[in-house]
Each structure stands twice: as C-alpha cells, then as structure tokens.
Amino acid sequence: MPASVHSEEAHENDQSMMDAEAEEPINPILLDEKRIIVLPGSSDTAASFQFDGEGHTMGNALRYAIMKNPAVEFCGYTIPHPSDAKMHVRIQTNDTTTALEALEKGFNDLMDLCDVVTEKFTRARDQFKEDSVNRMEG
C-alpha cells in the first residue's frame, strides 16, 4: 500500500476518533472501571484491596482514616514494588461491619477531613489577606 493512501486512512481514522471524543466527554471513572479490585482470599471481615495508580500519599491517609473506625481491628497498606503503581490495603473488622463497608467509611471520612482542611485553610488565607490590606492602609 502506498504511503499516501496509508496516511490518508490514518488521518481519517484520527479525525473520526476526535469527532467522537468531541461529542462525548471522556469520563475517567468509566475508563478506569477496575482501579480498585478485591484480592483473592478475602472474606467479608478480612479483605485486601488493590488500588492502581496510588502510592504512599493515599495509602497512609486512608489507613489513618480507616483505623479511626472502632469496628476495624487492623488496617495496613503496602506498596508491593516501587516500580509498580499499585498499593494494597488490608482491612480486618469485627463482626459488626464488613471490610468493604469500612473502606467506604474510610473514604467518606477522608473526604470530610479534606473538606475541613480546605475550609480552615481558605478562612485563614482570607483573614491573612484582610490583615495585610489593613496593615497597608493603617
């Protein structure tokens, strides 16, 4: 096949893909359906989860939030290998909740904590700006 024919077909394919993308915005959640998976050997009260694309930042914060739950007996995370962008979280609970429920509660608690930090930071920043203006005027 001549190069000019191949490049025209490639251009047409690229253009049709761009047209399709322009019509429908890409939803990263739908593209990454298996970002969190339950690892084999898990039960209702003791489960290991694998998170793709996460590291120590999410692992340590999530472990902290999950351990605040009194129904959780153990929560820890590992990075199996530094060159792999994967994180494993192990959760063990008592019989009053499941590991999956503890994970969901941990995410919700972590989001609430982030909201509080954002609110306090914004309030302090705004107060600092106001004080700076007052110092310059006075």
Side-chain angles (χ1 to χ4, degrees):
M1 175 181 305
S4 62
V5 173
H6 182 268
S7 63
E8 286 175 18
E9 287 176 4
H11 177 72
E12 288 174 11
N13 288 339
D14 289 345
Q15 187 61 43
S16 65
M17 287 174 62
M18 288 190 323
D19 291 343
E21 288 175 2
E23 292 172 10
E24 295 182 31
I26 296 174
N27 186 342
I29 294 171
L30 296 177
L31 292 177
D32 246 351
E33 289 180 9
K34 295 197 180 215
R35 190 141 179 245
I36 303 173
I37 60 171
V38 180
L39 294 174
S42 296
S43 68
D44 283 346
T45 59
S48 294
F49 304 91
Q50 177 177 294
F51 293 74
D52 289 338
E54 296 298 341
H56 290 286
T57 303
M58 176 63 79
N60 197 36
L62 188 58
R63 181 203 57 79
Y64 172 81
I66 292 171
M67 282 303 297
K68 291 288 190 181
N69 184 343
V72 173
E73 295 175 357
F74 171 82
C75 181
Y77 81 95
T78 61
I79 305 297
H81 194 277
S83 67
D84 239 355
K86 294 182 185 339
M87 172 192 64
H88 292 179
V89 174
R90 175 80 176 168
I91 302 171
Q92 290 177 230
T93 65
N94 59 29
D95 292 334
T96 62
T97 190
T98 67
L100 183 58
E101 290 169 343
L103 178 64
E104 289 174 0
K105 181 176 178 0
F107 275 129
N108 290 330
D109 292 348
L110 188 55
M111 286 190 299
D112 291 344
L113 178 63
C114 289
D115 290 342
V116 169
V117 169
T118 300
E119 182 182 311
K120 287 186 177 190
F121 173 81
T122 303
R123 194 176 318 127
R125 182 200 60 203
D126 293 346
Q127 184 64 48
F128 177 79
K129 286 180 180 178
E130 186 180 315
D131 292 347
S132 296
V133 169
N134 290 339
R135 278 192 303 266
M136 293 178 125
E137 290 175 354

Coordinates of all heavy atoms in Angstrom, one line a residue, residues 94-137:
N94 N -14.4 -6.4 63.0 CA -15.1 -7.3 63.9 C -16.4 -7.7 63.1 O -16.6 -7.3 62.0 CB -15.4 -6.7 65.3 CG -16.1 -5.4 65.2 OD1 -16.9 -5.1 64.3 ND2 -15.9 -4.5 66.2
D95 N -17.3 -8.4 63.8 CA -18.5 -8.9 63.1 C -19.6 -7.8 62.9 O -20.6 -8.1 62.3 CB -19.1 -10.1 63.9 CG -18.2 -11.3 63.8 OD1 -17.4 -11.4 62.9 OD2 -18.2 -12.1 64.8
T96 N -19.4 -6.6 63.3 CA -20.4 -5.6 63.2 C -20.4 -4.9 61.8 O -21.4 -4.2 61.5 CB -20.3 -4.5 64.3 OG1 -19.1 -3.9 64.2 CG2 -20.5 -5.2 65.7
T97 N -19.3 -5.0 61.1 CA -19.2 -4.4 59.8 C -18.4 -5.3 58.9 O -17.7 -6.2 59.3 CB -18.7 -3.0 59.9 OG1 -18.8 -2.3 58.6 CG2 -17.2 -3.0 60.3
T98 N -18.4 -5.0 57.6 CA -17.6 -5.7 56.6 C -16.3 -4.8 56.3 O -16.3 -3.6 56.5 CB -18.3 -6.0 55.3 OG1 -18.6 -4.8 54.6 CG2 -19.6 -6.8 55.6
A99 N -15.4 -5.5 55.7 CA -14.2 -4.7 55.2 C -14.5 -3.7 54.2 O -14.0 -2.6 54.2 CB -13.1 -5.7 54.7
L100 N -15.4 -4.1 53.3 CA -15.8 -3.1 52.2 C -16.5 -1.9 52.8 O -16.3 -0.8 52.4 CB -16.8 -3.9 51.2 CG -17.2 -3.0 50.0 CD1 -16.0 -2.5 49.2 CD2 -18.1 -3.8 49.1
E101 N -17.4 -2.1 53.8 CA -18.1 -1.0 54.4 C -17.1 -0.1 55.2 O -17.2 1.1 55.2 CB -19.1 -1.5 55.4 CG -20.3 -2.1 54.8 CD -21.3 -2.8 55.7 OE1 -20.9 -3.2 56.9 OE2 -22.4 -3.1 55.3
A102 N -16.1 -0.7 55.8 CA -15.0 0.0 56.5 C -14.2 0.8 55.5 O -13.8 2.0 55.7 CB -14.1 -0.9 57.2
L103 N -14.0 0.3 54.3 CA -13.2 1.0 53.2 C -14.1 2.2 52.8 O -13.5 3.3 52.7 CB -12.9 0.1 52.1 CG -12.2 0.7 50.9 CD1 -10.8 1.2 51.2 CD2 -12.1 -0.3 49.7
E104 N -15.4 2.0 52.5 CA -16.2 3.1 52.1 C -16.3 4.2 53.2 O -16.2 5.4 52.9 CB -17.6 2.6 51.8 CG -17.7 1.7 50.5 CD -19.0 1.1 50.3 OE1 -20.0 1.3 51.1 OE2 -19.2 0.4 49.3
K105 N -16.4 3.8 54.4 CA -16.5 4.8 55.5 C -15.1 5.5 55.6 O -15.1 6.7 55.8 CB -16.8 4.1 56.9 CG -16.9 5.1 58.0 CD -17.3 4.4 59.3 CE -17.3 5.2 60.5 NZ -17.0 6.6 60.4
G106 N -14.0 4.8 55.4 CA -12.7 5.4 55.4 C -12.6 6.5 54.3 O -12.1 7.6 54.6
F107 N -13.1 6.2 53.1 CA -13.1 7.2 52.0 C -13.9 8.4 52.4 O -13.5 9.5 52.2 CB -13.6 6.6 50.7 CG -12.5 5.9 49.9 CD1 -12.7 4.6 49.5 CD2 -11.3 6.5 49.6 CE1 -11.8 3.9 48.7 CE2 -10.4 5.8 48.9 CZ -10.6 4.6 48.4
N108 N -15.1 8.1 52.9 CA -16.0 9.2 53.3 C -15.4 10.1 54.4 O -15.5 11.3 54.3 CB -17.4 8.7 53.7 CG -18.2 8.2 52.5 OD1 -18.0 8.6 51.4 ND2 -19.0 7.2 52.8
D109 N -14.8 9.5 55.4 CA -14.2 10.2 56.5 C -13.0 11.0 56.0 O -12.8 12.2 56.4 CB -13.7 9.3 57.6 CG -14.9 8.6 58.3 OD1 -16.0 9.1 58.2 OD2 -14.6 7.6 59.1
L110 N -12.2 10.4 55.1 CA -11.1 11.1 54.5 C -11.5 12.4 53.7 O -10.9 13.4 53.8 CB -10.2 10.2 53.6 CG -8.9 10.7 53.1 CD1 -8.0 11.2 54.3 CD2 -8.2 9.6 52.3
M111 N -12.6 12.2 52.9 CA -13.2 13.3 52.2 C -13.7 14.4 53.1 O -13.4 15.6 52.9 CB -14.3 12.9 51.2 CG -13.7 12.1 50.0 SD -14.9 11.8 48.7 CE -16.1 10.8 49.6
D112 N -14.3 14.0 54.2 CA -14.8 15.0 55.2 C -13.6 15.7 55.8 O -13.6 17.0 56.0 CB -15.6 14.3 56.3 CG -16.9 13.8 55.8 OD1 -17.4 14.2 54.7 OD2 -17.5 13.0 56.5
L113 N -12.5 15.0 56.1 CA -11.3 15.6 56.7 C -10.7 16.6 55.7 O -10.3 17.7 56.1 CB -10.3 14.6 57.0 CG -9.0 15.0 57.6 CD1 -9.2 15.8 58.9 CD2 -8.0 13.9 57.7
C114 N -10.7 16.3 54.4 CA -10.2 17.2 53.4 C -11.0 18.4 53.3 O -10.5 19.5 53.1 CB -10.1 16.5 52.0 SG -8.8 15.2 51.9
D115 N -12.3 18.3 53.4 CA -13.2 19.4 53.4 C -13.0 20.4 54.5 O -12.9 21.6 54.4 CB -14.7 19.0 53.4 CG -15.1 18.3 52.1 OD1 -14.4 18.5 51.1 OD2 -16.2 17.6 52.1
V116 N -12.7 19.8 55.7 CA -12.4 20.7 56.9 C -11.1 21.4 56.7 O -11.0 22.6 57.0 CB -12.4 19.8 58.2 CG1 -11.8 20.6 59.4 CG2 -13.8 19.3 58.5
V117 N -10.1 20.7 56.2 CA -8.8 21.3 56.0 C -8.9 22.4 55.0 O -8.4 23.5 55.1 CB -7.7 20.3 55.6 CG1 -6.5 20.9 55.1 CG2 -7.4 19.3 56.7
T118 N -9.6 22.2 53.9 CA -9.8 23.2 52.8 C -10.5 24.4 53.4 O -10.1 25.6 53.1 CB -10.6 22.6 51.7 OG1 -9.9 21.5 51.1 CG2 -10.9 23.7 50.6
E119 N -11.6 24.2 54.2 CA -12.3 25.3 54.8 C -11.5 26.1 55.7 O -11.5 27.4 55.7 CB -13.6 24.7 55.5 CG -14.4 25.8 56.1 CD -15.6 25.1 56.9 OE1 -16.3 24.2 56.4 OE2 -15.8 25.5 58.1
K120 N -10.7 25.5 56.6 CA -9.9 26.2 57.5 C -8.8 26.9 56.8 O -8.4 28.1 57.2 CB -9.3 25.2 58.6 CG -10.3 24.8 59.6 CD -9.7 24.0 60.7 CE -10.8 23.6 61.7 NZ -10.2 23.0 62.9
F121 N -8.2 26.3 55.8 CA -7.1 27.0 55.0 C -7.7 28.2 54.3 O -7.1 29.3 54.4 CB -6.5 26.0 54.0 CG -5.6 26.7 53.1 CD1 -4.3 26.9 53.4 CD2 -6.0 27.2 51.8 CE1 -3.4 27.6 52.6 CE2 -5.1 27.8 50.9 CZ -3.8 28.0 51.3
T122 N -8.8 28.1 53.7 CA -9.4 29.2 53.0 C -9.8 30.3 53.9 O -9.5 31.5 53.7 CB -10.7 28.8 52.2 OG1 -10.4 27.7 51.4 CG2 -11.3 29.9 51.5
R123 N -10.3 30.0 55.1 CA -10.6 31.0 56.1 C -9.3 31.7 56.6 O -9.3 33.0 56.7 CB -11.4 30.4 57.3 CG -12.0 31.4 58.2 CD -12.8 30.8 59.3 NE -13.6 29.6 58.9 CZ -13.6 28.5 59.6 NH1 -12.8 28.3 60.6 NH2 -14.3 27.4 59.2
A124 N -8.3 31.0 56.9 CA -7.0 31.6 57.3 C -6.4 32.4 56.2 O -5.9 33.5 56.5 CB -6.1 30.5 57.8
R125 N -6.5 32.0 55.0 CA -5.9 32.7 53.9 C -6.6 34.1 53.7 O -6.0 35.1 53.5 CB -6.0 31.9 52.6 CG -5.4 32.7 51.4 CD -5.8 32.1 50.1 NE -7.3 32.3 50.0 CZ -8.1 31.5 49.2 NH1 -7.6 30.6 48.5 NH2 -9.4 31.7 49.2
D126 N -8.0 34.0 53.7 CA -8.8 35.2 53.6 C -8.5 36.2 54.7 O -8.4 37.4 54.5 CB -10.3 34.9 53.5 CG -10.6 34.1 52.2 OD1 -9.8 34.1 51.3 OD2 -11.7 33.5 52.2
Q127 N -8.3 35.7 55.9 CA -8.0 36.5 57.1 C -6.7 37.2 56.9 O -6.5 38.3 57.2 CB -8.1 35.7 58.4 CG -7.9 36.5 59.7 CD -9.0 37.6 59.9 OE1 -10.2 37.2 59.8 NE2 -8.6 38.8 60.1
F128 N -5.7 36.4 56.4 CA -4.3 36.9 56.2 C -4.4 38.0 55.2 O -3.8 39.1 55.4 CB -3.4 35.8 55.7 CG -2.0 36.3 55.4 CD1 -1.1 36.5 56.4 CD2 -1.7 36.5 54.1 CE1 0.2 36.9 56.1 CE2 -0.4 36.9 53.8 CZ 0.5 37.2 54.8
K129 N -5.1 37.8 54.1 CA -5.2 38.9 53.1 C -5.9 40.1 53.6 O -5.4 41.2 53.4 CB -6.1 38.4 51.9 CG -5.3 37.4 51.0 CD -6.2 37.0 49.8 CE -5.6 36.0 48.9 NZ -6.5 35.6 47.8
E130 N -6.9 40.0 54.4 CA -7.6 41.1 55.0 C -6.7 41.8 56.0 O -6.6 43.1 56.0 CB -8.9 40.6 55.8 CG -9.7 41.7 56.3 CD -10.9 41.2 57.1 OE1 -11.6 40.3 56.5 OE2 -11.2 41.7 58.2
D131 N -5.9 41.1 56.8 CA -5.0 41.7 57.7 C -3.9 42.5 57.0 O -3.5 43.5 57.4 CB -4.4 40.7 58.7 CG -5.4 40.1 59.6 OD1 -6.5 40.6 59.8 OD2 -5.0 39.0 60.3
S132 N -3.4 41.9 55.9 CA -2.4 42.5 55.1 C -2.9 43.9 54.5 O -2.1 44.9 54.5 CB -1.9 41.6 53.9 OG -1.3 40.5 54.4
V133 N -4.1 43.9 54.0 CA -4.7 45.1 53.5 C -4.8 46.2 54.6 O -4.5 47.3 54.4 CB -6.0 44.8 52.8 CG1 -6.8 46.1 52.5 CG2 -5.8 44.0 51.5
N134 N -5.3 45.7 55.7 CA -5.5 46.6 56.9 C -4.1 47.2 57.3 O -4.0 48.4 57.7 CB -6.2 46.0 58.0 CG -7.6 45.7 57.7 OD1 -8.2 46.3 56.9 ND2 -8.2 44.7 58.5
R135 N -3.1 46.4 57.3 CA -1.7 46.9 57.7 C -1.2 47.9 56.7 O -0.6 48.9 57.1 CB -0.7 45.7 57.8 CG -0.8 45.0 59.1 CD 0.4 44.1 59.3 NE 0.5 43.1 58.3 CZ 0.0 41.9 58.3 NH1 -0.7 41.4 59.3 NH2 0.2 41.0 57.3
M136 N -1.5 47.7 55.4 CA -1.0 48.6 54.4 C -1.8 50.0 54.5 O -1.2 51.0 54.2 CB -1.2 48.0 53.0 CG -0.2 46.8 52.8 SD -0.5 46.2 51.2 CE 1.1 46.2 50.5
E137 N -3.1 49.9 54.8 CA -3.9 51.1 54.9 C -3.6 51.9 56.2 O -3.8 53.1 56.2 CB -5.4 50.7 54.8 CG -5.8 50.2 53.4 CD -7.2 49.8 53.4 OE1 -7.9 49.7 54.5 OE2 -7.7 49.5 52.3

